[in-house]
Amino acid sequence: MEGEGELLSARPALETEGLRFLHVTVGSVLASYGWYILFSGIVLYAVLQKLSTRLRGLRQRQLAGAEAALEPDVVVRRQEALAAARLKMQEELNAQVEKHKEKLRQLEEERRRQKIEMWDSMQEGRSYKGSARRPQEEDGPGPSTSSAVPKRKSDKKPLRGGEPAASEPHVRDQDVTSGNAGMGKN
């Protein structure tokens, strides 16, 4: 019996030592990371609540969709609504196409009219751009463009290298005869 008494008295001491160790360990963990654990728990709770409401809503939609798919009247109404929406969109598209075609017809008519005016102007001996300015010239008194003196070409040499243009052979001859070939005037 004495052996049993020692065993009983040793056991509570062992249990109390284990509880003390557990208390110290848990206490130190909570002291170090308590706020992190608390906030993590709150976030986890909020996420679980959000997911559970979404899952409930998804299940309800699936059940409602399954019920609606089984009812032929609902299916027919849905198909009719889709057909009506498609028809409306097609009518809007057709209207836009007609407007675009009308704009293209107007542009083509304007181009044709301009070509006719240009042809008529050329037949009368005027340039097309001259006919566009004609109404302004008729309104304002002044000398006509035919009596105006044309501008004279500048005697300055162009800023380019190489041979001069074919229309300027006299400039090259002058440079060679004066001995300043390729140097310009100093």
Short mmCIF file of all heavy atoms in Angstrom, two decimals, residues 33-93:
data_model
loop_
_atom_site.label_atom_id
_atom_site.label_comp_id
_atom_site.label_asym_id
_atom_site.label_seq_id
_atom_site.Cartn_x
_atom_site.Cartn_y
_atom_site.Cartn_z
N TYR A 33 3.12 37.01 -28.71
CA TYR A 33 2.36 37.05 -29.97
C TYR A 33 0.85 37.18 -29.76
O TYR A 33 0.07 36.89 -30.67
CB TYR A 33 2.62 35.77 -30.78
CG TYR A 33 4.07 35.54 -31.08
CD1 TYR A 33 4.78 34.54 -30.43
CD2 TYR A 33 4.72 36.33 -32.01
CE1 TYR A 33 6.12 34.33 -30.71
CE2 TYR A 33 6.06 36.13 -32.29
CZ TYR A 33 6.75 35.12 -31.64
OH TYR A 33 8.07 34.92 -31.92
N GLY A 34 0.41 37.65 -28.62
CA GLY A 34 -1.01 37.70 -28.30
C GLY A 34 -1.82 38.57 -29.25
O GLY A 34 -2.88 38.18 -29.72
N TRP A 35 -1.34 39.78 -29.51
CA TRP A 35 -2.09 40.67 -30.40
C TRP A 35 -2.16 40.12 -31.82
O TRP A 35 -3.19 40.22 -32.47
CB TRP A 35 -1.46 42.06 -30.44
CG TRP A 35 -1.66 42.81 -29.16
CD1 TRP A 35 -0.73 43.13 -28.24
CD2 TRP A 35 -2.92 43.30 -28.66
NE1 TRP A 35 -1.30 43.80 -27.18
CE2 TRP A 35 -2.65 43.92 -27.42
CE3 TRP A 35 -4.22 43.28 -29.11
CZ2 TRP A 35 -3.64 44.52 -26.66
CZ3 TRP A 35 -5.22 43.88 -28.36
CH2 TRP A 35 -4.92 44.48 -27.14
N TYR A 36 -1.06 39.50 -32.27
CA TYR A 36 -1.06 38.91 -33.61
C TYR A 36 -2.07 37.77 -33.70
O TYR A 36 -2.79 37.63 -34.68
CB TYR A 36 0.33 38.36 -33.98
CG TYR A 36 1.39 39.44 -34.05
CD1 TYR A 36 2.46 39.46 -33.17
CD2 TYR A 36 1.32 40.44 -35.02
CE1 TYR A 36 3.43 40.44 -33.24
CE2 TYR A 36 2.29 41.43 -35.10
CZ TYR A 36 3.34 41.42 -34.20
OH TYR A 36 4.30 42.39 -34.28
N ILE A 37 -2.12 36.98 -32.67
CA ILE A 37 -3.07 35.86 -32.65
C ILE A 37 -4.50 36.39 -32.63
O ILE A 37 -5.38 35.89 -33.34
CB ILE A 37 -2.79 34.94 -31.44
CG1 ILE A 37 -1.42 34.25 -31.61
CG2 ILE A 37 -3.89 33.91 -31.26
CD1 ILE A 37 -0.94 33.50 -30.39
N LEU A 38 -4.74 37.42 -31.83
CA LEU A 38 -6.09 37.99 -31.75
C LEU A 38 -6.53 38.56 -33.10
O LEU A 38 -7.64 38.26 -33.57
CB LEU A 38 -6.12 39.09 -30.67
CG LEU A 38 -7.47 39.80 -30.50
CD1 LEU A 38 -8.50 38.83 -29.94
CD2 LEU A 38 -7.31 41.01 -29.61
N PHE A 39 -5.68 39.38 -33.72
CA PHE A 39 -6.06 39.97 -35.01
C PHE A 39 -6.19 38.90 -36.09
O PHE A 39 -7.07 38.99 -36.95
CB PHE A 39 -5.06 41.04 -35.43
CG PHE A 39 -5.15 42.29 -34.61
CD1 PHE A 39 -4.02 42.85 -34.06
CD2 PHE A 39 -6.37 42.91 -34.39
CE1 PHE A 39 -4.10 44.01 -33.31
CE2 PHE A 39 -6.46 44.06 -33.63
CZ PHE A 39 -5.32 44.62 -33.09
N SER A 40 -5.35 37.90 -36.07
CA SER A 40 -5.45 36.81 -37.05
C SER A 40 -6.78 36.08 -36.87
O SER A 40 -7.44 35.71 -37.86
CB SER A 40 -4.30 35.82 -36.89
OG SER A 40 -3.08 36.46 -37.13
N GLY A 41 -7.17 35.87 -35.64
CA GLY A 41 -8.46 35.21 -35.38
C GLY A 41 -9.62 36.04 -35.89
O GLY A 41 -10.58 35.51 -36.47
N ILE A 42 -9.56 37.35 -35.68
CA ILE A 42 -10.65 38.22 -36.15
C ILE A 42 -10.72 38.21 -37.67
O ILE A 42 -11.81 38.11 -38.26
CB ILE A 42 -10.45 39.65 -35.61
CG1 ILE A 42 -10.67 39.68 -34.10
CG2 ILE A 42 -11.39 40.63 -36.30
CD1 ILE A 42 -10.28 40.98 -33.44
N VAL A 43 -9.58 38.30 -38.34
CA VAL A 43 -9.55 38.29 -39.81
C VAL A 43 -10.06 36.95 -40.34
O VAL A 43 -10.84 36.89 -41.29
CB VAL A 43 -8.12 38.59 -40.33
CG1 VAL A 43 -8.00 38.31 -41.81
CG2 VAL A 43 -7.75 40.03 -40.03
N LEU A 44 -9.64 35.87 -39.71
CA LEU A 44 -10.09 34.54 -40.13
C LEU A 44 -11.60 34.42 -39.96
O LEU A 44 -12.28 33.89 -40.85
CB LEU A 44 -9.35 33.47 -39.31
CG LEU A 44 -9.68 32.03 -39.66
CD1 LEU A 44 -9.21 31.72 -41.08
CD2 LEU A 44 -9.01 31.08 -38.68
N TYR A 45 -12.14 34.92 -38.87
CA TYR A 45 -13.58 34.89 -38.65
C TYR A 45 -14.31 35.69 -39.73
O TYR A 45 -15.32 35.22 -40.28
CB TYR A 45 -13.90 35.44 -37.25
CG TYR A 45 -15.37 35.51 -36.95
CD1 TYR A 45 -16.10 34.37 -36.65
CD2 TYR A 45 -16.04 36.73 -36.98
CE1 TYR A 45 -17.45 34.43 -36.39
CE2 TYR A 45 -17.40 36.81 -36.73
CZ TYR A 45 -18.11 35.66 -36.43
OH TYR A 45 -19.44 35.73 -36.18
N ALA A 46 -13.80 36.88 -40.05
CA ALA A 46 -14.46 37.72 -41.07
C ALA A 46 -14.42 37.05 -42.44
O ALA A 46 -15.41 37.06 -43.18
CB ALA A 46 -13.78 39.09 -41.13
N VAL A 47 -13.30 36.44 -42.78
CA VAL A 47 -13.17 35.76 -44.08
C VAL A 47 -14.14 34.58 -44.14
O VAL A 47 -14.81 34.37 -45.17
CB VAL A 47 -11.71 35.32 -44.31
CG1 VAL A 47 -11.61 34.37 -45.48
CG2 VAL A 47 -10.83 36.53 -44.54
N LEU A 48 -14.23 33.82 -43.08
CA LEU A 48 -15.15 32.68 -43.07
C LEU A 48 -16.60 33.14 -43.20
O LEU A 48 -17.40 32.50 -43.91
CB LEU A 48 -14.96 31.85 -41.80
CG LEU A 48 -13.66 31.03 -41.74
CD1 LEU A 48 -13.54 30.33 -40.38
CD2 LEU A 48 -13.63 30.02 -42.86
N GLN A 49 -16.96 34.23 -42.55
CA GLN A 49 -18.33 34.75 -42.67
C GLN A 49 -18.63 35.17 -44.10
O GLN A 49 -19.69 34.90 -44.65
CB GLN A 49 -18.54 35.93 -41.71
CG GLN A 49 -18.59 35.55 -40.25
CD GLN A 49 -19.77 34.65 -39.95
OE1 GLN A 49 -20.86 34.81 -40.49
NE2 GLN A 49 -19.54 33.66 -39.10
N LYS A 50 -17.67 35.86 -44.72
CA LYS A 50 -17.85 36.34 -46.09
C LYS A 50 -18.00 35.16 -47.06
O LYS A 50 -18.87 35.15 -47.93
CB LYS A 50 -16.64 37.20 -46.48
CG LYS A 50 -16.79 37.95 -47.72
CD LYS A 50 -17.49 39.22 -47.44
CE LYS A 50 -17.00 40.30 -48.36
NZ LYS A 50 -17.83 41.47 -48.26
N LEU A 51 -17.13 34.17 -46.90
CA LEU A 51 -17.20 33.00 -47.77
C LEU A 51 -18.50 32.23 -47.59
O LEU A 51 -19.08 31.73 -48.56
CB LEU A 51 -16.00 32.09 -47.53
CG LEU A 51 -14.66 32.58 -48.06
CD1 LEU A 51 -13.55 31.63 -47.66
CD2 LEU A 51 -14.71 32.73 -49.57
N SER A 52 -18.96 32.12 -46.36
CA SER A 52 -20.19 31.37 -46.12
C SER A 52 -21.39 32.06 -46.77
O SER A 52 -22.26 31.39 -47.34
CB SER A 52 -20.42 31.16 -44.63
OG SER A 52 -20.68 32.40 -43.99
N THR A 53 -21.44 33.41 -46.72
CA THR A 53 -22.57 34.10 -47.36
C THR A 53 -22.49 33.95 -48.88
O THR A 53 -23.52 33.78 -49.54
CB THR A 53 -22.57 35.60 -46.99
OG1 THR A 53 -21.32 36.18 -47.33
CG2 THR A 53 -22.85 35.81 -45.52
N ARG A 54 -21.28 34.00 -49.43
CA ARG A 54 -21.15 33.82 -50.88
C ARG A 54 -21.54 32.40 -51.30
O ARG A 54 -22.19 32.21 -52.33
CB ARG A 54 -19.73 34.12 -51.34
CG ARG A 54 -19.44 35.58 -51.36
CD ARG A 54 -18.14 35.86 -52.01
NE ARG A 54 -17.87 37.30 -52.03
CZ ARG A 54 -16.81 37.85 -52.56
NH1 ARG A 54 -15.91 37.10 -53.14
NH2 ARG A 54 -16.64 39.15 -52.54
N LEU A 55 -21.13 31.43 -50.51
CA LEU A 55 -21.48 30.05 -50.84
C LEU A 55 -23.00 29.84 -50.76
O LEU A 55 -23.58 29.14 -51.60
CB LEU A 55 -20.75 29.07 -49.92
CG LEU A 55 -19.25 28.90 -50.20
CD1 LEU A 55 -18.62 28.00 -49.14
CD2 LEU A 55 -19.04 28.30 -51.57
N ARG A 56 -23.64 30.44 -49.75
CA ARG A 56 -25.10 30.33 -49.64
C ARG A 56 -25.78 30.95 -50.86
O ARG A 56 -26.72 30.39 -51.42
CB ARG A 56 -25.60 31.00 -48.37
CG ARG A 56 -25.49 30.12 -47.16
CD ARG A 56 -26.20 30.74 -45.96
NE ARG A 56 -25.26 30.69 -44.84
CZ ARG A 56 -24.86 31.71 -44.11
NH1 ARG A 56 -25.35 32.91 -44.35
NH2 ARG A 56 -24.01 31.54 -43.14
N GLY A 57 -25.31 32.13 -51.26
CA GLY A 57 -25.89 32.80 -52.43
C GLY A 57 -25.68 31.99 -53.69
O GLY A 57 -26.58 31.90 -54.54
N LEU A 58 -24.51 31.40 -53.85
CA LEU A 58 -24.21 30.58 -55.02
C LEU A 58 -25.11 29.36 -55.06
O LEU A 58 -25.65 29.01 -56.12
CB LEU A 58 -22.74 30.17 -55.00
CG LEU A 58 -22.23 29.37 -56.19
CD1 LEU A 58 -22.36 30.20 -57.46
CD2 LEU A 58 -20.80 28.95 -55.98
N ARG A 59 -25.30 28.73 -53.93
CA ARG A 59 -26.19 27.57 -53.87
C ARG A 59 -27.62 27.95 -54.23
O ARG A 59 -28.31 27.23 -54.95
CB ARG A 59 -26.15 26.95 -52.47
CG ARG A 59 -24.89 26.20 -52.18
CD ARG A 59 -24.91 25.62 -50.79
NE ARG A 59 -23.60 25.13 -50.41
CZ ARG A 59 -23.17 25.05 -49.18
NH1 ARG A 59 -23.94 25.41 -48.17
NH2 ARG A 59 -21.95 24.60 -48.93
N GLN A 60 -28.08 29.09 -53.72
CA GLN A 60 -29.45 29.52 -54.02
C GLN A 60 -29.61 29.82 -55.51
O GLN A 60 -30.63 29.48 -56.11
CB GLN A 60 -29.80 30.75 -53.19
CG GLN A 60 -30.00 30.44 -51.72
CD GLN A 60 -30.23 31.70 -50.89
OE1 GLN A 60 -30.13 32.81 -51.39
NE2 GLN A 60 -30.54 31.53 -49.61
N ARG A 61 -28.59 30.46 -56.11
CA ARG A 61 -28.67 30.74 -57.55
C ARG A 61 -28.69 29.45 -58.36
O ARG A 61 -29.39 29.35 -59.36
CB ARG A 61 -27.50 31.63 -57.97
CG ARG A 61 -27.76 33.08 -57.71
CD ARG A 61 -26.67 33.95 -58.28
NE ARG A 61 -25.98 34.56 -57.15
CZ ARG A 61 -24.69 34.55 -56.91
NH1 ARG A 61 -23.87 34.00 -57.77
NH2 ARG A 61 -24.19 35.10 -55.84
N GLN A 62 -27.89 28.48 -57.94
CA GLN A 62 -27.87 27.21 -58.66
C GLN A 62 -29.22 26.51 -58.56
O GLN A 62 -29.72 25.96 -59.54
CB GLN A 62 -26.76 26.31 -58.12
CG GLN A 62 -25.38 26.73 -58.53
CD GLN A 62 -24.30 25.86 -57.90
OE1 GLN A 62 -24.57 25.08 -56.98
NE2 GLN A 62 -23.08 26.00 -58.40
N LEU A 63 -29.82 26.54 -57.38
CA LEU A 63 -31.12 25.92 -57.20
C LEU A 63 -32.18 26.65 -58.02
O LEU A 63 -33.04 26.03 -58.66
CB LEU A 63 -31.52 25.90 -55.72
CG LEU A 63 -30.70 24.96 -54.82
CD1 LEU A 63 -31.12 25.14 -53.37
CD2 LEU A 63 -30.88 23.52 -55.26
N ALA A 64 -32.13 27.98 -58.02
CA ALA A 64 -33.10 28.75 -58.80
C ALA A 64 -32.90 28.52 -60.29
O ALA A 64 -33.87 28.42 -61.06
CB ALA A 64 -32.98 30.24 -58.47
N GLY A 65 -31.65 28.43 -60.73
CA GLY A 65 -31.36 28.16 -62.13
C GLY A 65 -31.83 26.78 -62.54
O GLY A 65 -32.34 26.58 -63.65
N ALA A 66 -31.66 25.82 -61.67
CA ALA A 66 -32.11 24.46 -61.97
C ALA A 66 -33.63 24.40 -62.06
O ALA A 66 -34.19 23.73 -62.94
CB ALA A 66 -31.60 23.49 -60.91
N GLU A 67 -34.29 25.13 -61.17
CA GLU A 67 -35.76 25.16 -61.21
C GLU A 67 -36.25 25.87 -62.46
O GLU A 67 -37.20 25.44 -63.09
CB GLU A 67 -36.31 25.85 -59.96
CG GLU A 67 -36.13 25.06 -58.68
CD GLU A 67 -36.56 25.85 -57.46
OE1 GLU A 67 -37.08 26.98 -57.62
OE2 GLU A 67 -36.36 25.37 -56.34
N ALA A 68 -35.58 26.98 -62.83
CA ALA A 68 -36.00 27.74 -64.00
C ALA A 68 -35.74 26.95 -65.27
O ALA A 68 -36.50 27.05 -66.23
CB ALA A 68 -35.27 29.07 -64.05
N ALA A 69 -34.67 26.19 -65.30
CA ALA A 69 -34.35 25.40 -66.49
C ALA A 69 -35.38 24.30 -66.68
O ALA A 69 -35.59 23.85 -67.81
CB ALA A 69 -32.96 24.81 -66.37
N LEU A 70 -35.99 23.87 -65.59
CA LEU A 70 -36.98 22.81 -65.69
C LEU A 70 -38.33 23.34 -66.17
O LEU A 70 -39.11 22.59 -66.75
CB LEU A 70 -37.14 22.10 -64.34
CG LEU A 70 -35.89 21.38 -63.82
CD1 LEU A 70 -36.16 20.80 -62.45
CD2 LEU A 70 -35.45 20.31 -64.79
N GLU A 71 -38.61 24.62 -65.97
CA GLU A 71 -39.89 25.18 -66.38
C GLU A 71 -39.80 25.65 -67.83
O GLU A 71 -39.03 26.55 -68.16
CB GLU A 71 -40.26 26.36 -65.48
CG GLU A 71 -40.46 25.96 -64.03
CD GLU A 71 -40.79 27.16 -63.16
OE1 GLU A 71 -41.27 28.17 -63.70
OE2 GLU A 71 -40.55 27.07 -61.95
N PRO A 72 -40.58 25.07 -68.72
CA PRO A 72 -40.48 25.43 -70.14
C PRO A 72 -40.95 26.87 -70.42
O PRO A 72 -40.44 27.51 -71.33
CB PRO A 72 -41.36 24.41 -70.85
CG PRO A 72 -42.22 23.79 -69.80
CD PRO A 72 -41.51 23.97 -68.50
N ASP A 73 -41.88 27.39 -69.66
CA ASP A 73 -42.35 28.76 -69.89
C ASP A 73 -41.23 29.77 -69.64
O ASP A 73 -41.08 30.73 -70.40
CB ASP A 73 -43.54 29.08 -68.96
CG ASP A 73 -44.77 28.27 -69.30
OD1 ASP A 73 -44.85 27.80 -70.45
OD2 ASP A 73 -45.64 28.11 -68.42
N VAL A 74 -40.45 29.54 -68.59
CA VAL A 74 -39.35 30.44 -68.27
C VAL A 74 -38.30 30.38 -69.37
O VAL A 74 -37.76 31.41 -69.78
CB VAL A 74 -38.75 30.08 -66.89
CG1 VAL A 74 -37.51 30.92 -66.60
CG2 VAL A 74 -39.79 30.25 -65.79
N VAL A 75 -38.01 29.19 -69.85
CA VAL A 75 -37.02 29.03 -70.91
C VAL A 75 -37.48 29.74 -72.18
O VAL A 75 -36.71 30.45 -72.83
CB VAL A 75 -36.76 27.52 -71.18
CG1 VAL A 75 -35.88 27.33 -72.39
CG2 VAL A 75 -36.15 26.86 -69.96
N VAL A 76 -38.74 29.60 -72.52
CA VAL A 76 -39.28 30.24 -73.72
C VAL A 76 -39.24 31.76 -73.58
O VAL A 76 -38.84 32.46 -74.51
CB VAL A 76 -40.73 29.75 -73.99
CG1 VAL A 76 -41.40 30.57 -75.07
CG2 VAL A 76 -40.71 28.27 -74.37
N ARG A 77 -39.61 32.28 -72.42
CA ARG A 77 -39.56 33.74 -72.19
C ARG A 77 -38.14 34.26 -72.31
O ARG A 77 -37.89 35.32 -72.88
CB ARG A 77 -40.15 34.08 -70.82
CG ARG A 77 -41.66 34.23 -70.86
CD ARG A 77 -42.19 34.77 -69.55
NE ARG A 77 -42.83 33.66 -68.87
CZ ARG A 77 -42.60 33.29 -67.61
NH1 ARG A 77 -41.78 33.95 -66.86
NH2 ARG A 77 -43.22 32.26 -67.10
N ARG A 78 -37.20 33.52 -71.74
CA ARG A 78 -35.80 33.94 -71.80
C ARG A 78 -35.30 33.96 -73.25
O ARG A 78 -34.62 34.89 -73.68
CB ARG A 78 -34.93 33.01 -70.97
CG ARG A 78 -33.49 33.47 -70.88
CD ARG A 78 -32.64 32.58 -70.02
NE ARG A 78 -33.12 32.59 -68.65
CZ ARG A 78 -33.05 31.57 -67.80
NH1 ARG A 78 -32.53 30.44 -68.21
NH2 ARG A 78 -33.50 31.68 -66.58
N GLN A 79 -35.65 32.94 -74.03
CA GLN A 79 -35.24 32.89 -75.42
C GLN A 79 -35.88 34.01 -76.24
O GLN A 79 -35.24 34.61 -77.10
CB GLN A 79 -35.57 31.53 -76.03
CG GLN A 79 -34.67 30.42 -75.52
CD GLN A 79 -35.06 29.07 -76.08
OE1 GLN A 79 -36.11 28.91 -76.69
NE2 GLN A 79 -34.20 28.09 -75.84
N GLU A 80 -37.15 34.31 -75.96
CA GLU A 80 -37.82 35.41 -76.66
C GLU A 80 -37.17 36.75 -76.31
O GLU A 80 -37.02 37.61 -77.19
CB GLU A 80 -39.31 35.43 -76.31
CG GLU A 80 -40.10 34.30 -76.93
CD GLU A 80 -41.53 34.25 -76.45
OE1 GLU A 80 -41.89 35.00 -75.50
OE2 GLU A 80 -42.31 33.47 -77.02
N ALA A 81 -36.80 36.93 -75.05
CA ALA A 81 -36.14 38.17 -74.65
C ALA A 81 -34.79 38.31 -75.35
O ALA A 81 -34.43 39.40 -75.81
CB ALA A 81 -35.97 38.21 -73.12
N LEU A 82 -34.04 37.21 -75.44
CA LEU A 82 -32.75 37.25 -76.14
C LEU A 82 -32.95 37.57 -77.62
O LEU A 82 -32.21 38.37 -78.20
CB LEU A 82 -32.03 35.91 -75.98
CG LEU A 82 -31.34 35.66 -74.65
CD1 LEU A 82 -30.83 34.23 -74.58
CD2 LEU A 82 -30.19 36.62 -74.47
N ALA A 83 -33.96 36.97 -78.24
CA ALA A 83 -34.21 37.23 -79.65
C ALA A 83 -34.62 38.68 -79.87
O ALA A 83 -34.18 39.32 -80.84
CB ALA A 83 -35.30 36.29 -80.17
N ALA A 84 -35.42 39.22 -78.97
CA ALA A 84 -35.84 40.62 -79.10
C ALA A 84 -34.64 41.55 -78.93
O ALA A 84 -34.50 42.54 -79.67
CB ALA A 84 -36.91 40.94 -78.05
N ALA A 85 -33.77 41.25 -77.99
CA ALA A 85 -32.58 42.08 -77.78
C ALA A 85 -31.67 42.02 -79.01
O ALA A 85 -31.13 43.04 -79.45
CB ALA A 85 -31.83 41.63 -76.54
N ARG A 86 -31.50 40.83 -79.57
CA ARG A 86 -30.67 40.69 -80.78
C ARG A 86 -31.28 41.46 -81.94
O ARG A 86 -30.56 42.11 -82.71
CB ARG A 86 -30.52 39.22 -81.15
CG ARG A 86 -29.62 38.46 -80.23
CD ARG A 86 -29.44 37.04 -80.68
NE ARG A 86 -28.65 36.30 -79.72
CZ ARG A 86 -28.94 35.10 -79.26
NH1 ARG A 86 -30.02 34.48 -79.69
NH2 ARG A 86 -28.15 34.51 -78.39
N LEU A 87 -32.59 41.39 -82.09
CA LEU A 87 -33.26 42.10 -83.19
C LEU A 87 -33.10 43.61 -83.03
O LEU A 87 -32.82 44.32 -84.01
CB LEU A 87 -34.75 41.72 -83.21
CG LEU A 87 -35.59 42.33 -84.32
CD1 LEU A 87 -35.09 41.86 -85.68
CD2 LEU A 87 -37.05 41.96 -84.14
N LYS A 88 -33.23 44.09 -81.81
CA LYS A 88 -33.06 45.53 -81.55
C LYS A 88 -31.63 45.97 -81.88
O LYS A 88 -31.43 47.01 -82.53
CB LYS A 88 -33.38 45.82 -80.09
CG LYS A 88 -33.26 47.28 -79.72
CD LYS A 88 -33.56 47.51 -78.25
CE LYS A 88 -33.34 48.95 -77.86
NZ LYS A 88 -33.55 49.17 -76.43
N MET A 89 -30.65 45.18 -81.46
CA MET A 89 -29.25 45.52 -81.75
C MET A 89 -29.00 45.49 -83.25
O MET A 89 -28.28 46.35 -83.78
CB MET A 89 -28.31 44.54 -81.02
CG MET A 89 -28.28 44.73 -79.52
SD MET A 89 -27.38 43.46 -78.63
CE MET A 89 -25.75 43.66 -79.28
N GLN A 90 -29.60 44.53 -83.97
CA GLN A 90 -29.41 44.46 -85.41
C GLN A 90 -30.05 45.66 -86.11
O GLN A 90 -29.48 46.20 -87.05
CB GLN A 90 -30.02 43.15 -85.95
CG GLN A 90 -29.74 42.90 -87.40
CD GLN A 90 -28.27 42.71 -87.68
OE1 GLN A 90 -27.58 42.03 -86.94
NE2 GLN A 90 -27.78 43.31 -88.75
N GLU A 91 -31.20 46.10 -85.63
CA GLU A 91 -31.84 47.28 -86.21
C GLU A 91 -30.98 48.53 -86.00
O GLU A 91 -30.85 49.36 -86.90
CB GLU A 91 -33.24 47.47 -85.62
CG GLU A 91 -34.24 46.44 -86.09
CD GLU A 91 -35.57 46.55 -85.37
OE1 GLU A 91 -35.68 47.35 -84.40
OE2 GLU A 91 -36.51 45.83 -85.74
N GLU A 92 -30.41 48.67 -84.81
CA GLU A 92 -29.52 49.81 -84.54
C GLU A 92 -28.30 49.77 -85.45
O GLU A 92 -27.88 50.79 -85.99
CB GLU A 92 -29.09 49.81 -83.08
CG GLU A 92 -30.19 50.15 -82.10
CD GLU A 92 -29.76 49.99 -80.65
OE1 GLU A 92 -28.59 49.61 -80.40
OE2 GLU A 92 -30.59 50.25 -79.77
N LEU A 93 -27.75 48.58 -85.64
CA LEU A 93 -26.60 48.43 -86.52
C LEU A 93 -26.97 48.78 -87.96
O LEU A 93 -26.22 49.46 -88.66
CB LEU A 93 -26.05 47.01 -86.43
CG LEU A 93 -24.81 46.70 -87.25
CD1 LEU A 93 -23.64 47.54 -86.74
CD2 LEU A 93 -24.47 45.24 -87.19
#
